[in-house]
């Protein structure tokens, strides 16, 4: 069968020939990109492996324990060679403050670190009603292990007052703030005492997602959604923020096989971690129908101890506070649309096996 070519005017033929010649010249001047280079060009700022960070950091850890907080805190409290934990400050979040502050003191007992003071912060978000995650963590916030009445007291000072006074007395860029829950306490401190900013080396938070969706709404992650105004204040503070995103944390999946070495450690901390992990697996099975689940907060401590386990990019991040369906979403500008200096090191990839090896090493050091 012969094909009939469409009849083109002389003018169209000349234009078409010129365009084709120009295309050939362009193709000769620029070799075709590889599929990976093309994908990267479309994605924007690439995530690169983070460099190791030797030495010891002074940290204040704000936390809302919470099962994954407990494992993160154990991991941090074991790292006496790398982290000088000035205090735990406690936020409302997974559970009400009266529960989270008790849990923080209980985890301190498990790590045998009575030297670390615990301060309670605000009992509610900056402007919203509190929301909780007791369907995930259980009514105690610590479903799984055998619980006890904490041995040490709560400090009488308010957490925000403690943060402000400590940072005012600290050397420039000397203290890292670590946020494992909603960022109410850090935001309140930054708002009421902006003069503390120079003393902060970095604010590292377990917050946000870009591309993998939320875990409390289809769009938002719990810590941001619980107090989006606070998260917005922290990201806009001008202090360098490092965000351990769900994009990275959801790669660090817990499976039944990964629990076995913790139960086999023979120390109490290994048993506590295995008991919490078992409870998380049971939740995963109820929620998703498979015994698998992400663990979030310990990824932040892994970043502090071994940043080379992660990949990230310096980008501009905003927090949605007014969305109809998207309140609490972190909007990550990978392609520089905002034309602003990046405010965040956004961590989006993790070495899962490396993470679990580090967690095992730390938990094995505890009683
Ligand atoms: Ca938490």
């Amino acid at each position: 069968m012969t094909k009939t070519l469409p009849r083109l005017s002389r003018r169209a033929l000349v234009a078409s020939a010129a365009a084709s010649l120009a295309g050939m010249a362009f193709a000769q001047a620029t070799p075709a990109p590889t599929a990976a280079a093309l994908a990267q060009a479309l994605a924007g700022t690439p995530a690169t492996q983070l460099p190791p960070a030797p030495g010891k950091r002074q940290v204040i850890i704000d936390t809302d324990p919470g099962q994954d907080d407990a494992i993160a805190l154990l991991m941090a409290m074991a790292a006496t060679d790398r982290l000088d934990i000035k205090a735990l400050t406690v936020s409302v979040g997974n559970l009400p403050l009266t529960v989270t502050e008790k849990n923080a003191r209980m985890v301190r007992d498990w790590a045998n670190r009575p030297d670390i003071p615990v301060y309670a912060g605000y009992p509610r978000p900056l402007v919203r009603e509190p929301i909780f995650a007791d369907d995930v963590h259980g009514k105690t916030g610590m479903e799984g292990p055998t619980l006890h009445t904490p041995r040490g007291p709560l400090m009488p000072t308010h957490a925000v007052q403690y943060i402000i006074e400590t940072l005012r007395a600290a050397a420039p860029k000397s203290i890292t703030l670590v946020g494992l829950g909603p960022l109410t306490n850090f935001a309140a401190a930054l708002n009421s005492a902006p003069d503390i900013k120079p003393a902060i080396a970095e604010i590292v938070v377990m917050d946000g997602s870009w591309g993998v969706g939320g875990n409390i709404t289809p769009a938002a992650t719990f810590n941001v959604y619980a107090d989006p105004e606070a998260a917005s204040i922290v990201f806009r503070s001008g202090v360098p923020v490092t965000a351990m995103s769900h994009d990275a944390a959801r790669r660090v999946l817990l499976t039944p096989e990964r629990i076995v070495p913790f139960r086999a450690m023979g120390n109490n901390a290994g048993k506590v971690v295995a008991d919490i992990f078992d409870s998380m697996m049971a939740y995963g099975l109820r929620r998703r129908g498979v015994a698998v689940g992400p663990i979030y907060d310990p990824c932040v401590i892994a970043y502090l101890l071994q940043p080379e386990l992660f990949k990230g990019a310096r980008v501009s991040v905003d927090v949605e506070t007014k969305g109809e369906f998207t309140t609490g979403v972190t909007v990550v500008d990978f392609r520089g649309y905002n034309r602003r200096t990046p405010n965040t090191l956004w961590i989006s990839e993790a070495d899962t096996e490396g993470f679990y090896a580090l967690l095992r090493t730390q938990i094995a050091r505890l009683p």
Side-chain angles (χ1 to χ4, degrees):
M1 193 172 108
T2 53
K3 225 174 168 183
T4 313
L5 288 169
R7 290 174 70 88
L8 291 174
S9 71
R10 183 180 159 75
R11 192 173 168 163
L13 280 169
V14 170
S16 148
S20 146
L21 279 171
M24 279 167 62
F26 189 76
Q28 279 163 4
T30 53
T34 62
L38 188 60
Q40 190 57 68
L42 294 172
T45 313
T48 56
Q49 188 178 16
L50 306 179
K56 196 167 180 178
R57 276 183 195 247
Q58 295 185 80
V59 297
I60 295 172
I61 304 178
D62 194 79
T63 177
D64 64 332
Q67 293 171 314
D68 59 329
D69 295 76
I71 292 166
L73 294 175
L74 290 174
M75 194 180 184
M77 289 193 275
T80 48
D81 51 335
R82 300 294 314 283
L83 299 178
D84 174 7
I85 304 174
K86 311 293 288 179
L88 306 181
T89 58
V90 184
S91 59
V92 57
N94 288 318
L95 277 300
L97 188 69
T98 48
V99 179
T100 53
E101 69 84 1
K102 270 197 196 74
N103 287 346
R105 290 185 289 134
M106 187 163 49
V107 178
R108 173 176 66 175
D109 293 343
W110 285 332
N112 194 25
R113 292 294 307 273
D115 55 300
I116 300 174
V118 177
Y119 297 85
Y122 279 103
R124 45 180 298 128
L126 292 184
V127 294
R128 292 171 191 257
E129 292 301 316
I131 56 158
F132 304 116
D134 51 4
D135 57 324
V136 182
H137 301 263
K139 290 287 172 203
T140 61
M142 205 61 75
E143 198 168 281
T146 307
L147 308 182
H148 66 274
T149 304
R151 291 195 282 274
L154 187 66
M155 297 299 280
T157 311
H158 193 285
V160 173
Q161 189 188 341
Y162 165 79
I163 291 168
I164 292 171
E165 286 171 0
T166 304
L167 289 172
R168 279 184 175 157
K173 294 190 183 303
S174 61
I175 295 187
T176 297
L177 299 183
V178 181
L180 303 180
L183 295 171
T184 315
N185 292 333
F186 288 166
L190 289 164
N191 250 6
S192 50
D195 60 294
I196 64 177
K197 290 179 188 178
I200 305 171
E202 183 184 7
I203 305 178
V204 187
V205 298
M206 179 66 238
D207 264 327
S209 82
W210 187 249
V212 301
N215 69 338
I216 182 73
T217 72
T221 56
F222 181 84
N223 286 347
V224 192
Y225 185 77
D227 197 342
E229 285 77 16
S232 181
I233 288 167
V234 168
F235 277 94
R236 290 177 170 213
S237 65
V239 177
V241 173
T242 295
M244 176 61 66
S245 77
H246 283 222
D247 307 27
R250 283 194 208 169
R251 293 170 185 247
V252 182
L253 286 177
L254 182 65
T255 59
E257 299 73 44
R258 290 188 167 131
I259 302 174
V260 175
F262 293 94
R263 197 166 293 290
M265 277 176 191
N267 58 348
N268 185 58
K271 181 179 182 313
V272 165
V273 169
D275 288 346
I276 291 174
F277 277 165
D278 278 351
S279 166
M280 287 174 152
M281 284 291 82
Y283 174 79
L285 206 53
R286 288 199 304 275
R287 178 78 176 79
R288 306 179 191 92
V290 282
V292 70
I295 59 169
Y296 298 110
D297 295 344
C299 294
V300 171
I301 308 302
Y303 160 76
L304 295 173
L305 301 180
Q306 226 174 302
E308 64 272 27
L309 294 175
F310 299 93
K311 286 185 180 178
R314 293 200 182 275
V315 289
S316 173
V317 176
D318 287 305
V319 177
E320 175 60 78
T321 57
K322 301 182 188 73
E324 185 179 0
F325 304 110
T326 56
T327 296
V329 163
T330 43
V331 179
V332 186
D333 184 11
F334 280 106
R335 302 191 198 94
Y337 292 119
N338 291 336
R339 302 186 186 284
R340 292 202 305 254
T341 307
N343 59 356
T344 303
L345 172 59
W346 180 263
I347 299 179
S348 55
E349 295 182 41
D351 169 356
T352 303
E353 293 308 325
F355 166 84
Y356 278 99
L358 176 62
L359 181 60
R360 289 194 297 271
T361 305
Q362 295 305 316
I363 299 304
R365 297 171 76 180
L366 291 170

